[in-house]
Structure formats: structure tokens, C-alpha cells
Amino acid sequence: MTAHLYLVAAGSLAGRGPGDVIDLDGDEGHHAATVKRARVGEELLVADGVGVLARGVIESVGPGSPQKMGRVAGGESPRRRGAVVRVRIAVVGPVSVPGPRFVLAQALAKGGRDELAVETATELGVDEILPWQAARSIVSWRGDRGSRSRAKWQSTARAAAKQSRRALIPHVAAALTTAGLVERTRVAAATLVLHEDATLPLPLVQLPTDGDVLVVVGPEGGIDPDELRALTDAGAMVVRLGPEVLRASTAGPAALAVLCARTRWRAPGCG
């Protein structure tokens, strides 16, 4: 079984080498020591979320500072006993990902379907996620709700990256309007818009070897014709996955699986 992966602050593995020590504390220390019951001598993985991965061995497990938990009605936030897991690094270095770079433009959807798409796309290796405020999106990210919703997507991507042993947490951008998505299309190496009326099968599309490949998924009501026209005028290709019509939560990940199977999953050591 692959060793469990734990996340540390971005950039905290920079300059580290074999023999160095790194501490897991806070939520990660608690998760390792209390939830996973990590023990001295156990091997684990540590990633900084921006592409650097270390493999090491637990040297010690000790108590840490008390941590605040959620607030309870009528009182102060309760505290739980923290833990510090000290890890001696054996191997550390950047993780290379074969090109091109995959970007999911996911239209906002109701019922948590967009969050499910974020979770599965992260597990499949997406490099960046663009929340798209499409014309037919029932959900709207405005004001505080937009900030909270983006934070939830970021948390979902982080958890999925950890679960799937990824050294890179995909960046979740601020919500884009259609005009913003059109601008991203203009500078991308390729943009693939999933559409049920398309005749070009996704597996037959010629892919670039580097640069951004955008995969655009519309909301439950489909992509507005004016939006589709604007995207194709900017250089997007309209493609289809197959005869079935997939939900907003599954279309993007299904397309990513096809693209990864044609590119990075064919590289040695990728699975």
C-alpha cells in the first residue's frame, strides 16, 4: 500500500535534502498521530502542494500545542490536544508532470455537483480549476457567498489531492464570467467545449504537447448559444464524449480521463 501523504505549507520543502527533519503539526500532525495512529519507524509522504514531494520515516511522535475546535453555543471553542510528528527525510524533489497542462472550466451548478466535479478532477490530475459563472448557471457567486464558495472548492481540491497522493494542489481561480473565459480561450494552446450536439469525438482531437488545454463544461441547462459562439470565435473546438449526456459533475472528469489516457498516463511511472 502507498504510504499516506501529508501536506505542509507551500514552499516549506524548498532547499530541503536527505537527512533533514520536518515537523507535521496542526491538523496534519493531529491526523497523522490520532487518526492514522502513525508510529515511529513508519514511512510516509510529505508534499508542499506546489509540486515538491518528500519521502521520509517518522522519528518521533509527541504532544503539541492545544488546538481550537468549532465554537459551541454559549461558550468558548473547545480545545483538543495537538500532536507533532517529526519526519526524517530520505528523498525529496520536484514531481514532473508530462505536458500539456489541463485546466477545467467548470460552470457553477446546483446541488453540490460542481464540487463533486472539482473533487474527481483533482483525483484525475487536473492542474487548474476555473469556476465559470455561465449564463444558465442557477447558482451565483456574488459577494461573501462567492468567497465562501471558492474557499469550499479550494478545500475540496486540497482534500482530494491529499487522498490521491498528489504533490500538486490544483489552483482554484476566482469565478470567471463568459468574457473572462473567452480571454483564457484566446491564450490557451487548445480549448475543448463539451457539447451534446458536437460531431467531433474527443479521442480524435489532436492535442498540443505543452501549454494549457481548457476543458469547458456547461451548467445543467447547457451552454447558451451566444456563449458557444463567443468561445468558438475565440478558437475553441466543440467536442463530444459519446452518445450519452453526462451530468455537470461527471462530464469534466470523464473528459480528463480520456485526455490523461492519451498523454500523461502513458508516461513511465504514471498510473
Side-chain angles (χ1 to χ4, degrees):
M1 179 178 177
T2 304
H4 294 296
L5 181 140
Y6 298 91
L7 295 170
V8 293
S12 60
L13 291 178
R16 301 278 188 155
D20 288 347
V21 171
I22 188 167
D23 289 340
L24 300 178
D25 53 14
D27 289 340
E28 293 297 85
H30 171 77
H31 189 243
T34 305
V35 179
K36 293 299 184 182
R37 299 186 180 277
R39 296 291 180 264
V40 172
E42 183 178 328
E43 188 176 78
L44 50 71
L45 302 173
V46 180
D48 66 356
V50 291
V52 180
L53 180 68
R55 181 180 292 272
V57 176
I58 297 176
E59 196 166 79
S60 66
V61 179
S65 301
Q67 297 174 278
K68 284 188 176 181
M69 300 172 65
R71 183 178 296 278
V72 295
E76 293 294 324
S77 299
R79 293 173 177 268
R80 69 183 176 200
R81 188 65 177 172
V84 175
V85 177
R86 179 153 294 178
V87 180
R88 180 77 62 178
I89 296 174
V91 181
V92 61
V95 175
S96 61
V97 179
R101 184 171 179 270
F102 293 132
V103 181
L104 174 63
Q106 175 68 50
L108 306 184
K110 64 180 181 179
R113 296 195 183 281
D114 47 13
E115 290 172 28
L116 181 56
V118 169
E119 179 181 56
T120 311
T122 299
E123 293 174 2
L124 289 167
V126 73
D127 299 294
E128 184 180 2
I129 299 167
L130 308 177
W132 175 30
Q133 186 73 62
R136 293 180 178 175
S137 289
I138 297 174
V139 176
S140 178
W141 283 15
R142 290 190 176 90
D144 290 342
R145 179 179 182 177
S147 299
R148 291 194 303 270
S149 297
R150 183 187 180 193
K152 195 168 184 180
W153 280 31
Q154 290 171 324
S155 177
T156 298
R158 178 185 173 86
K162 181 177 176 179
Q163 186 279 329
S164 56
R165 309 329 194 236
R166 285 192 65 183
L168 175 70
I169 302 172
H171 173 66
V172 178
L176 288 178
T177 62
T178 298
L181 183 57
V182 166
E183 289 306 309
R184 284 295 299 259
T185 297
R186 293 188 194 282
V187 299
T191 297
L192 310 173
V193 182
L194 304 183
H195 198 281
E196 61 183 297
D197 293 332
T199 57
L200 175 62
L202 176 59
L204 298 185
V205 172
Q206 184 172 354
L207 298 174
T209 57
D210 56 17
D212 285 355
V213 173
L214 270 62
V215 177
V216 180
V217 179
E220 298 94 326
I223 299 176
D224 182 88
D226 290 339
E227 291 178 318
L228 189 62
R229 189 176 306 110
L231 290 168
T232 54
D233 286 347
M237 291 180 283
V238 183
V239 300
R240 67 180 301 163
L241 281 167
E244 294 80 12
V245 177
L246 302 183
R247 292 183 181 272
S249 57
T250 53
L256 285 167
V258 172
L259 296 176
C260 286
R262 295 181 55 194
T263 54
R264 57 183 64 173
W265 288 353
R266 302 175 71 175
C270 293

Coordinates of all heavy atoms in Angstrom, one line a residue, residues 102-152:
F102 N -3.6 20.6 -18.0 CA -5.0 20.5 -18.1 C -5.8 21.5 -17.2 O -5.5 21.5 -16.0 CB -5.5 19.1 -17.9 CG -5.0 18.1 -18.9 CD1 -4.4 16.9 -18.6 CD2 -5.2 18.4 -20.3 CE1 -4.0 16.0 -19.5 CE2 -4.7 17.5 -21.2 CZ -4.1 16.3 -20.9
V103 N -6.7 22.2 -17.7 CA -7.5 23.2 -17.0 C -8.9 22.9 -17.1 O -9.4 22.9 -18.3 CB -7.1 24.7 -17.4 CG1 -7.9 25.7 -16.6 CG2 -5.6 24.9 -17.3
L104 N -9.7 22.8 -16.0 CA -11.1 22.5 -16.1 C -11.9 23.8 -15.9 O -11.7 24.4 -14.8 CB -11.5 21.5 -15.1 CG -13.0 21.3 -14.9 CD1 -13.6 20.7 -16.2 CD2 -13.3 20.3 -13.7
A105 N -12.6 24.3 -16.8 CA -13.5 25.4 -16.7 C -14.9 24.8 -16.4 O -15.6 24.3 -17.3 CB -13.6 26.3 -17.9
Q106 N -15.3 24.8 -15.1 CA -16.5 24.2 -14.6 C -17.6 25.2 -14.3 O -17.4 26.1 -13.5 CB -16.2 23.4 -13.3 CG -17.4 22.7 -12.7 CD -18.0 21.6 -13.5 OE1 -17.3 20.7 -14.0 NE2 -19.3 21.7 -13.7
A107 N -18.7 25.1 -15.1 CA -19.8 26.0 -14.8 C -20.4 25.8 -13.4 O -20.4 24.6 -13.0 CB -20.9 25.8 -15.8
L108 N -20.8 26.8 -12.7 CA -21.4 26.7 -11.4 C -22.7 25.9 -11.5 O -23.5 26.1 -12.4 CB -21.6 28.0 -10.8 CG -20.5 29.0 -10.7 CD1 -20.9 30.3 -10.0 CD2 -19.3 28.4 -10.1
A109 N -22.9 24.9 -10.7 CA -24.0 24.0 -10.7 C -24.6 23.9 -9.3 O -24.0 24.1 -8.3 CB -23.6 22.7 -11.3
K110 N -25.9 23.5 -9.3 CA -26.6 23.4 -8.0 C -26.4 22.0 -7.4 O -25.9 21.1 -8.1 CB -28.1 23.6 -8.2 CG -28.8 22.7 -9.1 CD -30.3 23.0 -9.3 CE -31.0 22.0 -10.1 NZ -32.4 22.2 -10.3
G111 N -26.8 21.8 -6.2 CA -26.8 20.5 -5.5 C -25.4 19.9 -5.3 O -25.2 18.7 -5.1
G112 N -24.4 20.8 -5.3 CA -23.0 20.3 -5.0 C -22.4 19.5 -6.1 O -21.3 18.9 -6.0
R113 N -23.0 19.5 -7.3 CA -22.4 18.8 -8.4 C -21.1 19.4 -8.9 O -20.2 18.7 -9.4 CB -23.5 18.7 -9.6 CG -24.7 17.9 -9.2 CD -25.5 17.6 -10.4 NE -26.8 16.9 -10.1 CZ -26.8 15.6 -9.7 NH1 -25.8 14.9 -9.7 NH2 -28.0 15.1 -9.4
D114 N -21.0 20.7 -8.8 CA -19.7 21.3 -9.2 C -18.6 20.9 -8.3 O -17.5 20.7 -8.7 CB -19.9 22.8 -9.3 CG -20.6 23.5 -8.2 OD1 -20.8 22.8 -7.1 OD2 -21.0 24.7 -8.3
E115 N -18.9 20.8 -7.0 CA -17.9 20.4 -6.0 C -17.5 19.0 -6.3 O -16.3 18.6 -6.1 CB -18.4 20.6 -4.6 CG -18.6 22.0 -4.1 CD -19.3 22.1 -2.8 OE1 -19.2 21.1 -2.0 OE2 -20.0 23.1 -2.6
L116 N -18.4 18.1 -6.6 CA -18.1 16.7 -6.9 C -17.1 16.7 -8.2 O -16.2 15.9 -8.2 CB -19.3 15.9 -7.2 CG -19.2 14.4 -7.5 CD1 -18.4 13.7 -6.4 CD2 -20.5 13.8 -7.7
A117 N -17.4 17.6 -9.1 CA -16.5 17.6 -10.3 C -15.1 18.1 -9.9 O -14.1 17.5 -10.4 CB -17.1 18.6 -11.3
V118 N -15.0 19.0 -9.0 CA -13.7 19.5 -8.5 C -13.0 18.4 -7.8 O -11.8 18.1 -8.1 CB -13.9 20.7 -7.5 CG1 -12.6 21.0 -6.8 CG2 -14.4 21.9 -8.3
E119 N -13.7 17.6 -7.0 CA -13.0 16.5 -6.3 C -12.5 15.5 -7.2 O -11.3 15.1 -7.1 CB -14.1 15.9 -5.3 CG -13.5 14.7 -4.5 CD -14.6 14.1 -3.6 OE1 -15.6 13.7 -4.1 OE2 -14.3 14.0 -2.4
T120 N -13.3 15.0 -8.1 CA -12.9 13.9 -9.0 C -11.9 14.4 -10.0 O -10.9 13.7 -10.3 CB -14.1 13.4 -9.8 OG1 -15.2 13.1 -8.9 CG2 -13.8 12.1 -10.5
A121 N -12.0 15.6 -10.5 CA -11.0 16.2 -11.5 C -9.6 16.3 -10.8 O -8.6 16.0 -11.4 CB -11.5 17.5 -12.0
T122 N -9.6 16.6 -9.5 CA -8.4 16.7 -8.8 C -7.7 15.3 -8.7 O -6.5 15.2 -8.9 CB -8.6 17.3 -7.4 OG1 -9.1 18.6 -7.5 CG2 -7.3 17.4 -6.6
E123 N -8.5 14.3 -8.4 CA -8.0 13.0 -8.3 C -7.4 12.5 -9.6 O -6.5 11.7 -9.6 CB -9.1 12.0 -7.8 CG -9.6 12.3 -6.4 CD -10.8 11.4 -6.0 OE1 -11.2 10.6 -6.8 OE2 -11.3 11.6 -4.9
L124 N -8.0 13.0 -10.7 CA -7.5 12.6 -12.0 C -6.4 13.4 -12.5 O -5.8 13.0 -13.6 CB -8.7 12.7 -13.0 CG -9.8 11.7 -12.8 CD1 -11.1 12.0 -13.6 CD2 -9.3 10.3 -13.2
G125 N -6.0 14.4 -11.8 CA -4.7 15.1 -12.2 C -4.9 16.5 -12.8 O -4.0 17.1 -13.3
V126 N -6.1 17.1 -12.7 CA -6.3 18.5 -13.3 C -5.3 19.4 -12.6 O -5.0 19.3 -11.4 CB -7.7 19.0 -13.1 CG1 -8.0 19.3 -11.6 CG2 -8.1 20.1 -14.0
D127 N -4.8 20.4 -13.4 CA -3.8 21.3 -12.9 C -4.4 22.7 -12.4 O -3.7 23.3 -11.6 CB -2.8 21.6 -14.0 CG -2.0 20.3 -14.4 OD1 -1.3 19.8 -13.6 OD2 -2.2 19.9 -15.6
E128 N -5.5 23.0 -12.9 CA -6.1 24.3 -12.5 C -7.6 24.2 -12.7 O -8.1 23.5 -13.6 CB -5.6 25.5 -13.3 CG -6.1 26.8 -12.9 CD -5.6 28.0 -13.7 OE1 -4.8 27.8 -14.6 OE2 -5.9 29.2 -13.4
I129 N -8.4 24.9 -11.9 CA -9.9 24.9 -12.0 C -10.4 26.3 -12.1 O -10.0 27.1 -11.3 CB -10.5 24.1 -10.8 CG1 -10.0 22.7 -10.7 CG2 -12.0 24.2 -10.8 CD1 -10.2 22.0 -9.4
L130 N -11.2 26.5 -13.1 CA -11.8 27.8 -13.3 C -13.3 27.7 -13.1 O -14.0 27.2 -13.8 CB -11.6 28.3 -14.8 CG -10.2 28.3 -15.3 CD1 -10.2 28.7 -16.8 CD2 -9.3 29.2 -14.5
P131 N -13.8 28.3 -12.0 CA -15.2 28.4 -11.8 C -15.8 29.3 -12.8 O -15.4 30.5 -12.9 CB -15.4 28.9 -10.3 CG -14.0 28.8 -9.7 CD -13.0 28.9 -10.8
W132 N -16.8 28.9 -13.5 CA -17.4 29.7 -14.6 C -18.9 30.1 -14.3 O -19.7 29.2 -14.1 CB -17.3 28.9 -15.9 CG -18.0 29.5 -17.1 CD1 -18.1 30.9 -17.3 CD2 -18.6 28.9 -18.2 NE1 -18.8 31.1 -18.5 CE2 -19.1 29.9 -19.1 CE3 -18.8 27.5 -18.5 CZ2 -19.8 29.6 -20.2 CZ3 -19.4 27.2 -19.7 CH2 -19.9 28.2 -20.6
Q133 N -19.1 31.4 -14.2 CA -20.4 31.9 -14.0 C -21.1 32.0 -15.3 O -21.2 33.0 -16.0 CB -20.4 33.3 -13.3 CG -21.7 33.8 -12.9 CD -22.3 33.2 -11.7 OE1 -21.7 33.2 -10.6 NE2 -23.5 32.5 -11.9
A134 N -21.7 30.8 -15.8 CA -22.3 30.8 -17.1 C -23.7 31.4 -17.1 O -24.3 31.6 -16.0 CB -22.4 29.3 -17.5
A135 N -24.2 31.8 -18.3 CA -25.4 32.4 -18.4 C -26.6 31.6 -17.8 O -27.5 32.1 -17.2 CB -25.7 32.8 -19.8
R136 N -26.5 30.3 -17.9 CA -27.6 29.4 -17.5 C -27.3 28.8 -16.1 O -28.0 27.9 -15.7 CB -27.8 28.3 -18.5 CG -28.4 28.9 -19.8 CD -28.7 27.8 -20.8 NE -29.3 28.3 -22.0 CZ -29.5 27.6 -23.1 NH1 -29.2 26.3 -23.1 NH2 -30.0 28.1 -24.2
S137 N -26.2 29.2 -15.4 CA -25.9 28.7 -14.1 C -27.0 29.2 -13.1 O -27.3 30.4 -13.0 CB -24.6 29.2 -13.6 OG -23.5 28.5 -14.3
I138 N -27.6 28.3 -12.4 CA -28.6 28.7 -11.4 C -27.9 29.3 -10.2 O -28.4 30.2 -9.6 CB -29.5 27.5 -11.0 CG1 -30.3 27.0 -12.3 CG2 -30.4 27.8 -9.9 CD1 -31.0 25.7 -12.1
V139 N -26.8 28.7 -9.8 CA -26.0 29.2 -8.7 C -25.3 30.4 -9.1 O -24.8 30.6 -10.3 CB -25.0 28.1 -8.3 CG1 -24.1 28.6 -7.2 CG2 -25.8 26.9 -7.8
S140 N -25.2 31.4 -8.2 CA -24.4 32.6 -8.5 C -23.4 32.9 -7.3 O -23.8 32.8 -6.2 CB -25.4 33.8 -8.6 OG -24.8 35.0 -8.8
W141 N -22.2 33.2 -7.7 CA -21.2 33.6 -6.8 C -21.0 35.1 -6.7 O -20.4 35.7 -7.6 CB -19.8 33.0 -7.2 CG -19.7 31.5 -6.9 CD1 -20.7 30.6 -6.6 CD2 -18.5 30.8 -6.9 NE1 -20.2 29.4 -6.4 CE2 -18.8 29.4 -6.6 CE3 -17.1 31.1 -7.1 CZ2 -17.9 28.4 -6.5 CZ3 -16.2 30.1 -7.0 CH2 -16.5 28.7 -6.7
R142 N -21.7 35.7 -5.7 CA -21.6 37.1 -5.6 C -21.2 37.5 -4.1 O -21.8 36.8 -3.2 CB -22.9 37.8 -6.0 CG -23.1 37.8 -7.5 CD -24.3 38.7 -7.9 NE -24.5 38.7 -9.3 CZ -25.2 37.9 -10.0 NH1 -25.9 37.0 -9.3 NH2 -25.3 38.0 -11.3
G143 N -20.4 38.5 -3.9 CA -20.1 38.9 -2.5 C -19.5 37.9 -1.7 O -18.7 37.1 -2.1
D144 N -20.0 37.8 -0.4 CA -19.5 36.9 0.6 C -19.7 35.4 0.2 O -18.9 34.6 0.4 CB -20.1 37.1 1.9 CG -19.7 38.4 2.6 OD1 -18.6 38.9 2.1 OD2 -20.3 38.9 3.5
R145 N -20.9 35.2 -0.5 CA -21.2 33.8 -0.9 C -20.1 33.4 -1.9 O -19.7 32.2 -1.9 CB -22.5 33.8 -1.6 CG -22.9 32.4 -2.1 CD -24.2 32.2 -2.7 NE -24.5 30.9 -3.1 CZ -25.6 30.4 -3.6 NH1 -26.6 31.3 -3.8 NH2 -25.8 29.2 -3.9
G146 N -19.7 34.2 -2.8 CA -18.6 33.9 -3.8 C -17.3 33.5 -3.1 O -16.7 32.5 -3.4
S147 N -16.9 34.3 -2.1 CA -15.7 34.0 -1.3 C -15.8 32.7 -0.6 O -14.9 31.9 -0.6 CB -15.4 35.1 -0.3 OG -15.2 36.3 -1.0
R148 N -17.0 32.4 0.0 CA -17.1 31.2 0.8 C -17.1 30.0 -0.2 O -16.6 28.9 0.1 CB -18.4 31.2 1.6 CG -18.4 32.2 2.8 CD -19.6 31.9 3.7 NE -20.9 32.0 3.0 CZ -21.6 33.1 2.9 NH1 -21.1 34.2 3.4 NH2 -22.8 33.1 2.3
S149 N -17.8 30.1 -1.3 CA -17.9 29.0 -2.3 C -16.5 28.7 -2.9 O -16.2 27.5 -3.0 CB -18.9 29.4 -3.4 OG -20.2 29.6 -2.9
R150 N -15.8 29.7 -3.2 CA -14.4 29.5 -3.7 C -13.6 28.8 -2.7 O -12.8 27.8 -3.0 CB -13.8 30.8 -4.1 CG -12.4 30.6 -4.8 CD -11.7 31.9 -5.0 NE -10.4 31.7 -5.6 CZ -9.5 32.6 -5.7 NH1 -9.7 33.8 -5.3 NH2 -8.3 32.3 -6.3
A151 N -13.7 29.2 -1.4 CA -12.9 28.6 -0.3 C -13.3 27.1 -0.2 O -12.4 26.3 0.1 CB -13.1 29.3 1.0
K152 N -14.6 26.8 -0.4 CA -15.0 25.4 -0.3 C -14.4 24.6 -1.4 O -14.0 23.4 -1.2 CB -16.6 25.4 -0.3 CG -17.1 24.0 0.1 CD -18.6 24.1 0.4 CE -19.2 22.8 0.9 NZ -20.6 22.9 1.2

